Amino acid sequence: MTSMRYFIPFILLFLAVNAQAGIVKSYSLKADLSCSDNYALLVLSASQLSSLIGNNVDEMSLFHMRSQKNNSTENWQPIIFQIDQKDKQGRFIIQTDNKIPARLSAQDELVIRKKDLGIQLDPDAEIFNQFKLIEVKVINEMSDVMGWFYINTMPGQPLIFNLKKRELSYDKKQDTITTRAFKTGFSHSKPFLINFFYWRLAEDKWSDDLIDMMKIRHSGRFFGLPFHRSQDDYDSVLTAIKEGPLRIIRRTENHIRVFWKLKTPVLYIDYIMMPDGFIMDTMIDIPFKISFFFSELETFTTMDWNPVQPEPLLIFNNRIEEPVPVDGKESAAKQAFNTIEDSRFSVQTFNGTFDVSLDIPDNFPVRALLYLNDYHNEADPPENFPGQYGNVGFRTTGWEAVDSQLYHLKFTVCIQKQQNSMY
């Protein structure tokens, strides 16, 4: 009789758990795929997962199924994921002293690896007896199915990822990012600027530094007087870092010196570092209309390369028939390149390609043109190497029409190593 008294509650608990198990909701989501190589990340908006809004993010766990041969559960595996929370203005929430468990909001982003998508579960799978699942089908821009993953929402499940399986690592002291394909880092004096890049050639062997420095130039008129500013006129401080298994987010606060001790309001720049590239998210929120003080504004955002390349750089754009070689010589192709109004170009190096794009919001009145300065004997202080070696990027105009509201101007750089590379 005593054993029966303990057995009945156990049976009731078992039945209650199994009554909750199974697929409780199915979604079909279109993913944001910033880059598309073998290490690409899929970014999903939590707003598309309405039944998860308000859930404790520390109690979520994600799984995929690779195969279901003989109805086996051996291929039911947890997958690495990351949740990056945002505020209602689309800014990452990087640091908080709030001890209350974080709750998923509609602004948040769920990040997984493209290679972790699996197959759809069989309706008779044994897994349905063990988990309370949300089924997510991921589709691409053409609505083709890319694969499935599953979210377990039963309480008490930990956030699952193995730190040893991080796709990228961060050295806080050196402010460097390392992936299986490359290593890059930031200026210590101006931490909003990338200032070196190495290809990985073998496990412990790296290429020479491919870049001289990242450059920012501003020109125009302030109260009718001409002015020119460079990155030397920036004050920049690294203020927040979020280290996740899939993305590392760095935030800097920046001011630009306009005249004597007069500086612009704070300019926040987030770098979202990924295994196959990065996004530079510049948040522009100036509390006055720029045209009150400035006119004829232009900004040049470029990367100047080092002349140590074992092979010449080639620059591509869809609107030119042939790539432009970086050779320090004047050419009609280079002149034409600087007249193209476009937001994309690529740089091919000896060991891989950099695909660069500029995402300008529809309500942002700035226009972008391509820019290339390739004169090896022409100095352009404050660069480290003399001359301009394939100094390429964007020239943006129309800034005086920018009004007083928050804009996100995003530079995306996808870094793809050659398939026949040594490592």
Side-chain angles (χ1 to χ4, degrees):
M1 181 65 70
T2 302
S3 60
M4 182 62 70
R5 186 171 68 235
Y6 291 106
F7 182 69
I8 290 175
F10 174 78
I11 290 293
L12 292 176
L13 177 62
F14 177 80
L15 292 174
V17 170
N18 278 271
Q20 296 179 11
I23 292 180
V24 297
K25 192 76 175 178
S26 294
Y27 292 96
S28 179
L29 307 184
K30 186 175 293 185
D32 176 9
L33 191 65
S34 297
C35 302
S36 57
D37 77 346
N38 294 332
Y39 310 111
L41 302 180
L42 300 175
V43 180
L44 303 163
S45 172
S47 63
Q48 300 173 288
L49 298 164
S50 56
S51 62
L52 281 177
I53 302 300
N55 280 23
N56 185 343
V57 299
D58 292 330
E59 291 186 347
M60 291 174 54
S61 50
L62 273 59
F63 297 83
H64 65 199
M65 177 64 82
R66 286 305 193 195
S67 70
Q68 296 177 125
K69 187 177 181 180
N70 300 322
N71 204 24
S72 170
T73 61
E74 292 179 2
N75 288 306
W76 176 253
Q77 298 292 333
I79 62 177
I80 301 171
F81 71 101
Q82 181 170 333
I83 293 175
D84 292 321
Q85 298 200 280
K86 287 187 167 184
D87 64 19
K88 292 184 178 180
Q89 292 185 295
R91 298 173 297 197
F92 286 106
I93 301 171
I94 300 179
Q95 288 181 330
T96 177
D97 295 327
N98 193 347
K99 301 301 182 182
I100 300 173
R103 302 285 174 178
L104 194 71
S105 73
Q107 294 79 36
D108 299 344
E109 293 180 344
L110 171 63
V111 186
I112 66 172
R113 302 179 298 185
K114 183 177 70 171
K115 67 180 182 180
D116 279 333
L117 293 175
I119 63 172
Q120 187 176 23
L121 279 174
D122 188 292
D124 298 323
E126 297 175 8
I127 299 303
F128 290 142
N129 298 323
Q130 304 172 36
F131 296 95
K132 182 181 178 181
L133 300 173
I134 290 177
E135 180 182 73
V136 182
K137 176 175 68 174
V138 181
I139 59 177
N140 61 19
E141 290 283 336
M142 305 302 293
S143 296
D144 299 322
V145 177
M146 299 175 66
W148 281 263
F149 70 93
Y150 293 83
I151 304 172
N152 178 39
T153 60
M154 277 187 173
Q157 295 288 341
L159 183 73
I160 294 178
F161 63 81
N162 186 337
L163 292 179
K164 294 181 179 179
K165 292 184 178 180
R166 285 177 176 266
E167 289 291 334
L168 67 175
S169 61
Y170 179 62
D171 184 326
K172 188 173 182 178
K173 184 177 180 180
Q174 299 298 323
D175 200 10
T176 61
I177 310 289
T178 304
T179 77
R180 67 186 71 200
F182 63 87
K183 182 196 298 184
T184 191
F186 297 84
S187 165
H188 291 293
S189 60
K190 310 289 182 183
F192 77 104
L193 295 175
I194 289 177
N195 72 341
F196 68 80
F197 181 92
Y198 304 95
W199 285 120
R200 188 191 290 271
L201 303 179
E203 176 128 16
D204 296 314
K205 184 179 179 182
W206 301 90
S207 71
D208 290 327
D209 181 10
L210 269 65
I211 62 174
D212 177 2
M213 69 186 309
M214 187 176 174
K215 296 183 176 182
I216 305 290
R217 300 284 189 272
H218 306 282
S219 65
R221 292 183 178 274
F222 177 62
F223 286 124
L225 299 174
F227 78 99
H228 299 273
R229 296 290 179 265
S230 72
Q231 61 265 29
D232 272 8
D233 297 291
Y234 275 75
D235 290 332
S236 181
V237 179
L238 179 62
T239 58
I241 301 166
K242 178 179 179 181
E243 294 184 61
L246 301 178
R247 302 200 296 191
I248 294 169
I249 303 171
R250 298 171 66 263
R251 173 165 296 164
T252 58
E253 294 183 9
N254 311 277
H255 297 270
I256 310 170
R257 182 180 64 84
V258 178
F259 179 75
W260 198 37
K261 294 185 178 181
L262 177 64
K263 299 178 181 179
T264 63
V266 64
L267 185 71
Y268 293 97
I269 299 178
D270 285 352
Y271 273 88
I272 302 99
M273 307 302 296
M274 305 175 293
D276 58 349
F278 62 87
I279 298 171
M280 178 185 175
D281 181 6
T282 302
M283 288 159 277
I284 300 165
D285 189 11
I286 299 175
F288 54 82
K289 193 163 185 176
I290 291 179
S291 61
F292 291 163
F293 305 96
F294 298 93
S295 61
E296 301 177 25
L297 278 177
E298 290 188 334
T299 293
F300 298 80
T301 306
T302 64
M303 185 67 78
D304 195 9
W305 299 77
N306 276 340
V308 296
Q309 314 287 335
E311 297 177 11
L313 299 179
L314 296 175
I315 299 175
F316 294 80
N317 175 264
N318 289 335
R319 300 189 185 184
I320 55 178
E321 294 182 359
E322 299 289 337
V324 179
V326 173
D327 55 13
K329 300 176 183 177
E330 181 67 49
S331 71
K334 291 175 185 176
Q335 293 176 356
F337 186 89
N338 281 285
T339 65
I340 297 174
E341 185 172 352
D342 200 1
S343 59
R344 293 179 179 274
F345 67 88
S346 298
V347 178
Q348 180 179 305
T349 76
F350 78 102
N351 209 33
T353 303
F354 296 74
D355 295 317
V356 185
S357 62
L358 175 60
D359 180 17
I360 301 176
D362 293 338
N363 66 338
F364 196 40
V366 169
R367 62 191 285 256
L369 294 94
L370 302 183
Y371 175 82
L372 173 61
N373 189 341
D374 184 38
Y375 298 101
H376 300 181
N377 295 322
E378 179 181 325
D380 187 20
E383 65 181 357
N384 300 326
F385 286 84
Q388 305 286 304
Y389 186 81
N391 185 18
V392 63
F394 298 102
R395 175 168 68 95
T396 51
T397 63
W399 288 93
E400 52 271 16
V402 173
D403 212 337
S404 54
Q405 68 180 80
L406 177 65
Y407 301 95
H408 289 263
L409 189 64
K410 296 182 179 181
F411 293 83
T412 299
V413 180
C414 296
I415 302 171
Q416 187 165 355
K417 201 171 183 184
Q418 290 179 356
Q419 295 297 322
N420 60 354
S421 296
M422 294 173 58
Y423 186 78

